[in-house]
């Protein structure tokens, strides 16, 4: 069963613009992670935010977490063509810190 | 270079055939995972292993089998019982309970002839 659901399914922007992707989930979580996947490749970890954190930054990435709304957002600022990829949120919940449940992803296209 | 390798990159399976996908890591991670990804979909967990000689079924284990005889290796066999095996298969590893970030291999695309 899918825990996280990303929104929108696809997003197309111009280079230099900001991109915002959202993730909603259903049950309480231990942490939430964002991953990037270039076409036909493996996933790359971007950032992890724990349930007691509200915001984290890493370079041009900003992640927020609202546990009351069971949602998270990923903001990529000053986007580049190289940011074109699918972005997935993944949640860890319950007693297992091993199992991650992935959403279906947002396909981001950054046009030069 | 530390990382996770998967082979082959492409694999073709005939009807009734079992095929094995390789996954090796030199990150000294205790935990390893196998996921299946279908077009336009997220990842679904097939099997995971928290430690050598132990593994657990994930959400879609039917038609698949694994072994974990060495810390570095976690091969996945797609058996003839898996009726719809065409997919992209991803292997991942993580340090263990204290660190949940997973590190992924480049994937194997399995196609049915």
């Amino acid at each position: 069963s899918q825990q996280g659901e990303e929104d929108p399914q696809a997003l197309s922007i111009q280079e230099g613009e900001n991109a915002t992707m959202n993730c909603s989930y259903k049950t309480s979580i231990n942490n939430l992670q964002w991953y990037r996947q270039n076409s036909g490749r493996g996933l790359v970890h971007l950032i992890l935010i724990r349930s007691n954190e509200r915001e984290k930054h890493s370079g041009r990435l900003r992640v927020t977490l609202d546990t009351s709304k069971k949602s998270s957002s990923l903001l990529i600022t000053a986007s580049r063509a190289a940011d074109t990829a699918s972005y997935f949120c993944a949640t860890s919940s319950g007693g297992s810190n091993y199992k991650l449940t992935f959403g279906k992803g947002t396909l981001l296209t950054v046009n030069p | 270079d530390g990382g996770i390798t998967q082979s082959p990159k492409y694999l073709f399976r005939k009807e009734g055939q079992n095929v094995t996908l390789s996954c090796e890591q030199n990150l000294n991670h205790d935990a390893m995972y196998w996921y299946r990804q279908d077009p336009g979909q997220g990842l679904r967990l097939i099997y995971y292993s928290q430690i050598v000689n132990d593994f657990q079924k994930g959400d879609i284990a039917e038609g698949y089998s694994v072994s974990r005889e060495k810390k570095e290796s976690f091969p996945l066999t797609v058996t003839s019982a898996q009726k719809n095996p065409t997919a992209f298969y991803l292997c991942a590893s993580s340090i263990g309970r204290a660190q949940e970030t997973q590190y992924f291999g480049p994937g194997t695309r399995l196609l049915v002839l």
Side-chain angles (χ1 to χ4, degrees), chain A residues 7-51:
Chain A
D7 170 61
Q9 288 187 323
L11 180 60
S12 182
I13 60 174
Q14 297 300 122
E15 226 172 8
E17 293 180 341
N18 295 343
T20 299
M21 288 158 270
N22 303 296
C23 171
S24 59
Y25 56 91
K26 298 188 177 96
T27 63
S28 296
I29 60 172
N30 299 324
N31 66 57
L32 186 144
Q33 303 182 45
W34 285 92
Y35 288 81
R36 185 187 76 212
Q37 184 182 35
N38 290 86
S39 181
R41 308 290 290 275
L43 276 70
V44 174
H45 178 258
L46 296 176
I47 200 162
L48 181 153
I49 186 164
R50 301 199 182 278
S51 60

Side-chain angles (χ1 to χ4, degrees), chain A residues 83-100:
Chain A
D83 294 327
T84 295
S86 291
Y87 291 82
F88 295 90
C89 68
T91 57
S92 164
S93 58
S96 170
N97 280 334
Y98 292 96
K99 281 190 63 174
L100 290 182

Side-chain angles (χ1 to χ4, degrees), chain A residues 1-2 30-31 33 35 37 40-45 48 50 88 92 95-105, chain B residues 31 33 35 37 40-43 45 48 50 58-59 88 90 94 96-102 104-107 109:
Chain A
S1 61
Q2 230 114 19
N30 299 324
N31 66 57
Q33 303 182 45
Y35 288 81
Q37 184 182 35
R41 308 290 290 275
L43 276 70
V44 174
H45 178 258
L48 181 153
R50 301 199 182 278
F88 295 90
S92 164
S96 170
N97 280 334
Y98 292 96
K99 281 190 63 174
L100 290 182
T101 305
F102 286 82
K104 293 184 180 180
Chain B
Y33 314 82
Y35 293 93
Q37 185 178 31
Q41 301 294 313
L43 279 64
L45 183 64
Y48 66 101
Q50 299 177 12
D59 300 318
F88 190 49
L90 287 158
S94 66
R97 180 172 288 275
Q99 171 65 285
E100 304 96 335
T101 298
Q102 294 187 12
F104 284 80
R109 190 164 300 278

Side-chain angles (χ1 to χ4, degrees), chain B residues 54-98:
Chain B
D54 182 64
F55 49 83
Q56 309 293 328
K57 291 183 179 179
D59 300 318
I60 55 165
E62 187 174 346
Y64 300 97
S65 66
V66 294
S67 63
R68 186 85 187 276
E69 297 174 2
K70 297 188 298 181
K71 188 175 185 177
E72 304 80 32
S73 179
F74 191 39
L76 173 74
T77 297
V78 183
T79 74
S80 57
Q82 172 50 244
K83 297 307 178 190
N84 183 23
T86 298
F88 190 49
Y89 291 86
L90 287 158
C91 179
S93 71
S94 66
I95 291 175
R97 180 172 288 275

